[in-house]
Amino acid sequence: MTQQSFDVAILGAGLSGRLLAWLLARKGQRVALVERAGPDGSGAAAHVAAAMLAPLAESAIAERRIVDLGIASVDLWRAWIPQLPEPVFFQEDGTLVVWHARDRGEMSMFTSRVRAVAPPELVAARMRALDAAGVAQLEPELAGRFPQGLLLAGEGQLDNRGVLRALLSCVVGHGVHCVWEAGAVEAGDLPRLGVRAGVVVDCRGLGARAAWPARQAGVPGAADAPPASALRGLRGEVVRVHAPDVKLHRPVRMLHPRYPIYIAPKPNDLYVIGATELESEDDSPVSVRSALELLSAAYSLHPAFGEARVLELNVQRRPTLPDHLPAIHIDQEARIVRVNGLYRHGFLIAPAVTEAACEVVQALLDNDPAAHMVPAATRWPGMIAPVSGGAVLH
């Protein structure tokens, strides 16, 4: 096969891969994007996600690093969306948090966690307590249903599939060489696809398990066992419904001790309904119990969901590292950059993470021996690390 030379080859055309391809190509780099499946992105976790941009809401269940990356990423989305070649739904009308009277204890735990994790100035500026009239003013269709609520101002959401389509148009428009239906591909397989690259960026998510070995020092029998991976998949279940009788204007999170849910309104009367993740690698279809719990919770929020039409019952497995934080690993000798571990926060943090990865890639292209010391490494300490043979160098 005839070989083509590129500055950068990116493995994986999910959200991170497409963002990186676009950012690098518009900087003038020659880029190849290699994907195991087709261009619609249906195999990526991003295809199922609700794409909520809610750093303050996520602080109730995430680390401070995620909040900071989320704040930076929302600013980037705001700048990037107008640059995309086709319109993409983007909203910053805040997140409404509600709970039924019997679950008021969940509100106390939620606000305590937010105050403990998020920047105090962000909490003071954006978290506002609502009475029943305040809830009704924001979402008239919820009038009389919730005596209290919280508005997390400034938070937003995107159309996840619209972003994937627009980014594909971007990379094609910038001349990125796309290889679709490549199957499972490692960096060493690129020559058989006719691709040679100065730097390889691995954005394959769970497809990159072997490149993220777990530490097994001191574990009896570890030397004789197949290498374990630090990456694992966390199952998420999401329902898409068409509900023309429901008129919510912003994402709503309903607190509940058993099945807290989020409901994200999308254009054309579509709603994405989901909940927290399940500690499971199972990617089988949504169970009857999960579907009933999700849809019953939505019905308890707004009875008109009872007449909604279920369009999709989706499952995704989010690539997750042990600390639930994203990581960028640099193998300077092999000239490979690995980006992974975005967990449930893909759309929330991907811009800041991929912007940092771009700095690392540029440093490698410039043959900088300290590519792990780019400015982003100072801004996001601990996220960028050099590796050798899969082991992090300290």
Side-chain angles (χ1 to χ4, degrees):
M1 178 179 288
T2 303
Q3 300 287 304
Q4 298 185 65
S5 295
F6 300 91
D7 298 310
V8 183
I10 299 170
L11 305 181
L15 177 60
S16 293
R18 293 182 193 214
L19 275 173
L20 272 167
W22 178 46
L23 295 176
L24 290 167
R26 70 180 191 167
K27 289 178 180 292
Q29 307 296 349
R30 294 166 297 158
V31 179
L33 181 62
V34 180
E35 166 59 33
R36 65 177 180 176
D40 65 356
S42 58
H47 190 261
V48 175
M52 292 185 296
L53 311 177
L56 196 54
E58 285 299 303
S59 68
I61 54 173
E63 301 296 324
R64 172 63 180 266
R65 169 64 54 80
I66 298 299
V67 180
D68 293 339
L69 284 166
I71 293 168
S73 292
V74 172
D75 290 341
L76 289 170
W77 280 125
R78 191 182 303 111
W80 290 348
I81 290 294
Q83 300 176 36
L84 298 177
E86 53 192 73
V88 171
F89 171 69
F90 173 65
Q91 181 190 61
E92 290 184 280
D93 290 340
T95 299
L96 176 62
V97 182
V98 295
W99 55 91
H100 293 295
R102 63 182 179 274
D103 300 322
R104 65 175 63 90
E106 297 298 312
M107 180 273 292
S108 298
M109 289 189 287
F110 179 88
T111 55
S112 295
R113 178 64 177 167
V114 169
R115 293 183 188 281
V117 174
E121 63 278 9
L122 188 72
V123 175
R126 296 192 179 184
M127 188 163 73
R128 178 162 63 91
L130 304 170
D131 58 13
V135 172
Q137 182 178 10
L138 286 177
E139 295 293 347
E141 294 203 358
L142 299 184
R145 301 196 58 80
F146 299 97
Q148 293 178 295
L150 294 169
L151 174 64
L152 307 181
E155 300 201 324
Q157 62 163 327
L158 295 165
D159 173 9
N160 61 320
R161 296 176 185 178
V163 168
L164 292 177
R165 288 192 300 269
L167 287 173
L168 178 59
S169 296
C170 283
V171 299
V172 171
H174 279 82
V176 172
H177 176 69
C178 297
V179 181
W180 307 110
E181 306 290 350
V185 177
E186 302 287 342
D189 298 323
L190 289 173
R192 71 172 174 80
L193 299 174
V195 173
R196 291 185 302 176
V199 173
V200 175
V201 186
D202 187 346
C203 296
R204 292 175 297 157
L206 290 174
R209 286 179 189 269
W212 294 82
R215 295 179 181 177
Q216 292 184 296
V219 178
D224 302 321
S229 176
L231 269 177
R232 72 188 193 281
L234 281 181
R235 178 182 173 98
E237 298 172 334
V238 177
V239 183
R240 281 183 174 250
V241 302
H242 181 238
D245 296 331
V246 179
K247 300 298 179 186
L248 298 178
H249 302 91
R250 58 184 51 75
V252 177
R253 294 186 182 233
M254 189 172 73
L255 304 181
H256 188 277
R258 242 187 98 196
Y259 38 86
I261 66 166
Y262 58 78
I263 298 177
K266 306 296 184 181
N268 302 315
D269 299 318
L270 297 180
Y271 290 83
V272 177
I273 306 167
T276 53
E277 72 282 345
L278 304 173
E279 188 69 52
S280 172
E281 290 272 8
D282 179 21
D283 62 354
S284 63
V286 176
S287 69
V288 171
R289 174 184 294 177
S290 291
L292 285 173
E293 288 183 345
L294 282 172
L295 294 173
S296 295
Y299 178 76
S300 75
L301 177 87
H302 194 317
F305 276 115
E307 296 302 317
R309 297 300 183 254
V310 177
L311 303 180
E312 300 176 22
L313 290 167
N314 292 314
V315 170
Q316 60 176 340
R317 291 182 301 158
R318 292 93 164 227
T320 308
L321 291 166
D323 60 4
H324 289 193
L325 296 175
I328 299 172
H329 283 180
I330 310 157
D331 188 329
Q332 189 106 16
E333 183 177 352
R335 298 179 69 78
I336 297 176
V337 178
R338 304 189 189 279
V339 183
N340 221 312
L342 273 67
Y343 177 38
R344 58 175 282 145
H345 309 300
F347 279 90
L348 175 62
I349 65 174
V353 174
T354 53
E355 188 179 58
C358 281
E359 287 188 34
V360 172
V361 170
Q362 188 59 58
L364 283 178
L365 291 172
D366 295 339
N367 295 313
D368 184 347
H372 60 288
M373 296 297 291
V374 295
T378 302
R379 186 179 187 189
W380 312 116
M383 187 172 76
I384 300 172
V387 299
S388 179
V392 176
L393 302 177
H394 296 284

